Short mmCIF file of all heavy atoms in Angstrom, two decimals:
data_model
loop_
_atom_site.label_atom_id
_atom_site.label_comp_id
_atom_site.label_asym_id
_atom_site.label_seq_id
_atom_site.Cartn_x
_atom_site.Cartn_y
_atom_site.Cartn_z
N ALA A 553 90.84 89.63 133.99
CA ALA A 553 89.69 88.86 134.33
C ALA A 553 89.14 89.20 135.69
O ALA A 553 87.90 89.42 135.96
CB ALA A 553 89.97 87.37 134.18
N GLU A 554 90.07 89.23 136.71
CA GLU A 554 89.63 89.56 138.11
C GLU A 554 89.06 90.98 138.22
O GLU A 554 88.16 91.16 138.99
CB GLU A 554 90.77 89.34 139.07
CG GLU A 554 91.23 87.94 139.37
CD GLU A 554 92.12 87.37 138.38
OE1 GLU A 554 92.44 88.03 137.36
OE2 GLU A 554 92.57 86.20 138.61
N LEU A 555 89.57 91.87 137.48
CA LEU A 555 89.08 93.24 137.51
C LEU A 555 87.61 93.43 137.18
O LEU A 555 86.88 94.07 137.80
CB LEU A 555 89.99 94.18 136.62
CG LEU A 555 91.49 94.08 136.79
CD1 LEU A 555 92.15 95.26 136.10
CD2 LEU A 555 91.94 94.11 138.27
N PHE A 556 87.26 92.67 136.04
CA PHE A 556 85.84 92.70 135.59
C PHE A 556 85.02 91.98 136.66
O PHE A 556 83.86 92.40 136.94
CB PHE A 556 85.72 92.13 134.28
CG PHE A 556 86.19 93.04 133.17
CD1 PHE A 556 87.50 92.96 132.69
CD2 PHE A 556 85.35 94.06 132.70
CE1 PHE A 556 87.92 93.81 131.70
CE2 PHE A 556 85.83 94.93 131.71
CZ PHE A 556 87.12 94.80 131.28
N ALA A 557 85.52 90.89 137.30
CA ALA A 557 84.74 90.18 138.26
C ALA A 557 84.56 91.10 139.51
O ALA A 557 83.43 91.11 140.09
CB ALA A 557 85.52 88.96 138.73
N TYR A 558 85.55 91.84 139.95
CA TYR A 558 85.50 92.73 141.10
C TYR A 558 84.47 93.86 140.82
O TYR A 558 83.73 94.20 141.72
CB TYR A 558 86.85 93.44 141.37
CG TYR A 558 87.84 92.51 142.13
CD1 TYR A 558 89.22 92.87 142.07
CD2 TYR A 558 87.43 91.44 142.86
CE1 TYR A 558 90.08 92.06 142.75
CE2 TYR A 558 88.36 90.69 143.53
CZ TYR A 558 89.67 90.97 143.52
OH TYR A 558 90.61 90.20 144.23
N VAL A 559 84.43 94.45 139.61
CA VAL A 559 83.65 95.63 139.39
C VAL A 559 82.27 95.25 138.72
O VAL A 559 81.20 95.86 139.10
CB VAL A 559 84.44 96.63 138.53
CG1 VAL A 559 83.50 97.82 138.12
CG2 VAL A 559 85.62 97.09 139.23
N ASP A 560 82.34 94.39 137.68
CA ASP A 560 81.08 94.11 136.93
C ASP A 560 80.39 92.87 137.40
O ASP A 560 79.25 92.58 137.05
CB ASP A 560 81.39 94.01 135.45
CG ASP A 560 81.71 95.39 134.86
OD1 ASP A 560 81.24 96.39 135.45
OD2 ASP A 560 82.35 95.46 133.83
N GLY A 561 81.07 92.08 138.21
CA GLY A 561 80.45 90.83 138.73
C GLY A 561 80.71 89.53 137.99
O GLY A 561 80.38 88.46 138.50
N VAL A 562 81.32 89.57 136.79
CA VAL A 562 81.66 88.42 136.07
C VAL A 562 83.04 88.54 135.44
O VAL A 562 83.29 89.60 134.83
CB VAL A 562 80.60 88.22 134.93
CG1 VAL A 562 81.00 87.12 133.95
CG2 VAL A 562 79.21 87.83 135.56
N PRO A 563 83.95 87.51 135.53
CA PRO A 563 85.23 87.66 134.84
C PRO A 563 84.99 87.71 133.32
O PRO A 563 84.11 87.13 132.75
CB PRO A 563 85.89 86.27 135.19
CG PRO A 563 85.10 85.73 136.30
CD PRO A 563 83.69 86.27 136.19
N ASN A 564 85.88 88.44 132.66
CA ASN A 564 85.72 88.66 131.19
C ASN A 564 86.09 87.30 130.44
O ASN A 564 85.84 87.25 129.26
CB ASN A 564 86.54 89.78 130.66
CG ASN A 564 88.11 89.58 130.81
OD1 ASN A 564 88.51 88.55 131.45
ND2 ASN A 564 88.89 90.51 130.26
N HIS A 565 86.53 86.31 131.19
CA HIS A 565 86.65 84.93 130.52
C HIS A 565 85.28 84.50 129.98
O HIS A 565 85.24 83.77 129.04
CB HIS A 565 87.06 83.91 131.58
CG HIS A 565 88.56 83.99 131.99
ND1 HIS A 565 89.49 84.61 131.26
CD2 HIS A 565 89.15 83.56 133.11
CE1 HIS A 565 90.66 84.49 131.86
NE2 HIS A 565 90.43 83.92 133.00
N HIS A 566 84.24 85.04 130.55
CA HIS A 566 82.90 84.66 130.13
C HIS A 566 82.77 85.01 128.65
O HIS A 566 82.07 84.32 127.85
CB HIS A 566 81.86 85.49 130.94
CG HIS A 566 80.44 85.28 130.50
ND1 HIS A 566 79.80 84.07 130.35
CD2 HIS A 566 79.51 86.25 130.17
CE1 HIS A 566 78.54 84.24 130.02
NE2 HIS A 566 78.38 85.55 129.81
N CYS A 567 83.29 86.19 128.17
CA CYS A 567 83.22 86.60 126.74
C CYS A 567 83.88 85.53 125.88
O CYS A 567 83.35 85.07 124.85
CB CYS A 567 83.84 87.96 126.54
SG CYS A 567 83.07 89.28 127.44
N MET A 568 85.09 85.19 126.17
CA MET A 568 85.84 84.22 125.35
C MET A 568 85.12 82.88 125.23
O MET A 568 84.99 82.34 124.13
CB MET A 568 87.24 83.95 125.97
CG MET A 568 88.00 82.87 125.30
SD MET A 568 89.61 82.54 126.18
CE MET A 568 88.98 81.75 127.73
N LEU A 569 84.60 82.40 126.35
CA LEU A 569 83.96 81.07 126.35
C LEU A 569 82.62 81.12 125.66
O LEU A 569 82.28 80.21 124.86
CB LEU A 569 83.77 80.63 127.79
CG LEU A 569 85.07 80.43 128.60
CD1 LEU A 569 84.80 80.19 130.08
CD2 LEU A 569 85.90 79.32 128.06
N SER A 570 81.81 82.16 125.88
CA SER A 570 80.49 82.32 125.26
C SER A 570 80.64 82.35 123.69
O SER A 570 79.93 81.67 122.99
CB SER A 570 79.76 83.54 125.76
OG SER A 570 79.52 83.44 127.16
N LEU A 571 81.58 83.23 123.27
CA LEU A 571 81.77 83.37 121.78
C LEU A 571 82.20 82.06 121.16
O LEU A 571 81.78 81.68 120.06
CB LEU A 571 82.79 84.43 121.53
CG LEU A 571 82.34 85.87 121.90
CD1 LEU A 571 83.58 86.79 121.92
CD2 LEU A 571 81.30 86.41 120.95
N ALA A 572 83.10 81.29 121.85
CA ALA A 572 83.50 80.00 121.32
C ALA A 572 82.40 78.99 121.17
O ALA A 572 82.51 78.03 120.42
CB ALA A 572 84.65 79.46 122.15
N LEU A 573 81.36 79.23 121.91
CA LEU A 573 80.19 78.31 121.90
C LEU A 573 78.99 78.96 121.11
O LEU A 573 77.88 78.44 121.16
CB LEU A 573 79.71 77.98 123.32
CG LEU A 573 80.78 77.17 124.13
CD1 LEU A 573 80.34 77.09 125.59
CD2 LEU A 573 80.84 75.75 123.56
N GLY A 574 79.25 80.09 120.43
CA GLY A 574 78.23 80.68 119.58
C GLY A 574 77.28 81.51 120.29
O GLY A 574 76.20 81.84 119.72
N ARG A 575 77.58 81.94 121.52
CA ARG A 575 76.61 82.64 122.33
C ARG A 575 77.05 84.16 122.44
O ARG A 575 78.26 84.46 122.46
CB ARG A 575 76.47 82.14 123.72
CG ARG A 575 76.13 80.64 123.74
CD ARG A 575 76.31 80.03 125.18
NE ARG A 575 76.03 78.68 125.28
CZ ARG A 575 76.32 77.86 126.24
NH1 ARG A 575 77.09 78.37 127.29
NH2 ARG A 575 76.00 76.55 126.27
N ASP A 576 76.04 85.07 122.58
CA ASP A 576 76.40 86.49 122.85
C ASP A 576 76.66 86.58 124.37
O ASP A 576 75.83 86.22 125.15
CB ASP A 576 75.27 87.35 122.54
CG ASP A 576 75.58 88.84 122.62
OD1 ASP A 576 76.46 89.25 123.32
OD2 ASP A 576 74.94 89.68 121.88
N PRO A 577 77.93 87.06 124.80
CA PRO A 577 78.22 87.11 126.18
C PRO A 577 77.25 87.96 127.02
O PRO A 577 76.92 87.65 128.17
CB PRO A 577 79.66 87.68 126.22
CG PRO A 577 80.18 87.39 124.89
CD PRO A 577 79.02 87.47 123.94
N GLN A 578 76.96 89.12 126.52
CA GLN A 578 76.05 90.06 127.33
C GLN A 578 76.53 90.24 128.73
O GLN A 578 75.84 89.85 129.72
CB GLN A 578 74.62 89.62 127.30
CG GLN A 578 74.01 89.60 125.83
CD GLN A 578 72.56 89.13 125.79
OE1 GLN A 578 72.13 88.31 126.62
NE2 GLN A 578 71.78 89.69 124.84
N LEU A 579 77.68 90.81 128.94
CA LEU A 579 78.29 90.96 130.27
C LEU A 579 77.41 91.89 131.09
O LEU A 579 76.85 92.91 130.65
CB LEU A 579 79.65 91.60 130.14
CG LEU A 579 80.83 90.69 129.92
CD1 LEU A 579 82.13 91.52 129.78
CD2 LEU A 579 80.96 89.70 131.03
N PRO A 580 77.32 91.65 132.44
CA PRO A 580 76.63 92.58 133.32
C PRO A 580 77.51 93.84 133.48
O PRO A 580 78.69 93.81 133.14
CB PRO A 580 76.52 91.81 134.62
CG PRO A 580 77.63 90.82 134.58
CD PRO A 580 77.77 90.44 133.13
N HIS A 581 76.93 94.89 134.00
CA HIS A 581 77.67 96.19 134.15
C HIS A 581 77.51 96.67 135.62
O HIS A 581 76.47 96.88 136.11
CB HIS A 581 77.05 97.21 133.26
CG HIS A 581 77.78 98.52 133.17
ND1 HIS A 581 79.08 98.64 132.66
CD2 HIS A 581 77.44 99.74 133.59
CE1 HIS A 581 79.47 99.88 132.69
NE2 HIS A 581 78.47 100.62 133.34
N ARG A 582 78.71 96.88 136.22
CA ARG A 582 78.76 97.42 137.59
C ARG A 582 77.93 96.61 138.59
O ARG A 582 77.33 97.16 139.49
CB ARG A 582 78.36 98.87 137.62
CG ARG A 582 79.08 99.78 136.64
CD ARG A 582 80.64 99.78 136.92
NE ARG A 582 81.30 100.78 136.08
CZ ARG A 582 81.88 100.48 134.94
NH1 ARG A 582 81.95 99.23 134.51
NH2 ARG A 582 82.46 101.44 134.22
N ALA A 583 77.91 95.29 138.47
CA ALA A 583 77.21 94.42 139.38
C ALA A 583 78.10 93.68 140.37
O ALA A 583 77.71 92.80 141.05
CB ALA A 583 76.40 93.37 138.53
N GLY A 584 79.40 94.09 140.43
CA GLY A 584 80.42 93.41 141.29
C GLY A 584 80.43 94.01 142.67
O GLY A 584 79.78 95.05 142.92
N PRO A 585 81.24 93.48 143.56
CA PRO A 585 81.29 93.99 144.98
C PRO A 585 82.12 95.28 145.13
O PRO A 585 82.10 95.81 146.23
CB PRO A 585 81.94 92.90 145.70
CG PRO A 585 82.80 92.12 144.65
CD PRO A 585 82.03 92.26 143.36
#
Side-chain angles (χ1 to χ4, degrees):
E554 284 86 353
L555 310 191
F556 285 95
Y558 280 160
V559 175
D560 290 335
V562 170
N564 65 354
H565 288 335
H566 174 59
C567 296
M568 173 185 70
L569 299 171
S570 297
L571 293 165
L573 295 168
R575 305 166 180 167
D576 189 335
Q578 298 181 327
L579 276 177
H581 185 70
R582 306 298 186 262

